[in-house]
Amino acid sequence: MSSYRLLIVDDDPELRNFLVTELSVEGYSCHEAATGQQALSQIRAEPWDLILLDWTLPDFNGVEVCRRMRQGGISTPVLMITARDEVRERVEALDSGADDYLTKPFSIEELLARVRARLRRTGLNEPEDGILRVGDLAMNPASREVSRGGQAIHLTAREFDLLQHLTRQPNQVHERRSILDALWGENWMGDDNLLDVYVRYLRKKLEPAGQPTLIQTVRGVGFMVKEGPPR
């Protein structure tokens, strides 16, 4: 299961639905916004791996969304998607903080290739050797192996997915709702306490007595992976 979270920002519901369908098939966790304000609210509230951003939006354009993101210190990669193809417009988009630029109409194969390339270039998400590390914790997403201090740790599939989701963006708070949406799906209507149960499972396996803690609770918000003092 991929834990990459993509925000698709476009005012065309048919195009959004098409992109969500195609990207979900590839294993990405896709979420939507139809306006610049909706996009900024979600971008500021939750961590994202990549934002697919249309230039033309009903309130303010994608260039302004990029500017406000970067001014707010948000470095999430942005792939701008637009029918505009003049050089000056490409330059304006890139100068505003966009990382890549794709013109409409485009093939889904090219879009998927651009998404993969951008995620590979994001060092936070794809370390050079593919191993996710926090302190002496190491995760190999390809083999789904986990170790701490060189000692192998067996995790269930759901435990691994939860740890990977948090570890891809260490030192960053993940809201409870965003974790549930990413791992159980946006339509999941079960008990939110299930998340606490899995966090307890992980802590029991990952945090032996006397060792620094790894999964921190941010009360009223959610969880993050960060080395902390022993319990």
Side-chain angles (χ1 to χ4, degrees), residues 109-169:
E109 291 81 8
E110 181 179 7
L111 174 70
L112 293 174
R114 297 281 187 110
V115 168
R116 290 192 298 268
R118 176 47 50 191
L119 291 173
R120 283 198 302 271
R121 288 197 293 270
T122 305
L124 177 65
N125 302 309
E126 288 290 340
E128 187 173 343
D129 62 0
I131 307 300
L132 304 175
R133 294 183 175 86
V134 177
D136 61 353
L137 174 74
M139 295 190 71
N140 185 332
S143 65
R144 297 181 72 87
E145 294 176 306
V146 179
S147 64
R148 185 167 189 194
Q151 295 294 115
I153 299 171
H154 173 73
L155 299 181
T156 66
R158 185 69 74 184
E159 290 166 354
F160 185 95
D161 290 339
L162 173 55
L163 182 62
Q164 181 179 222
H165 181 80
L166 297 173
T167 305
R168 282 200 182 278
Q169 293 180 310

Side-chain angles (χ1 to χ4, degrees), residues 31-90:
H31 304 254
E32 305 174 47
T35 69
Q37 190 56 58
Q38 287 178 9
L40 284 172
S41 295
Q42 294 187 62
I43 290 165
R44 290 164 177 161
E46 304 177 43
W48 303 96
D49 295 300
L50 180 65
I51 299 167
L52 280 63
L53 179 62
D54 187 29
W55 180 301
T56 304
L57 297 169
D59 44 3
F60 45 86
N61 64 33
V63 169
E64 182 62 21
V65 172
C66 274
R67 288 198 183 107
R68 296 189 189 188
M69 283 176 57
R70 302 316 185 208
Q71 288 170 356
I74 299 171
S75 59
T76 306
V78 172
L79 171 58
M80 185 81 78
I81 300 176
T82 176
R84 299 168 182 261
D85 194 26
E86 293 186 15
V87 171
R88 63 178 178 81
E89 292 169 330
R90 290 173 178 261

Side-chain angles (χ1 to χ4, degrees), residues 9-16 33-35 54 56-58 104:
V9 185
D10 199 295
D11 64 343
D12 182 344
E14 291 187 8
L15 180 57
R16 285 201 316 273
T35 69
D54 187 29
T56 304
L57 297 169
K104 302 176 183 177

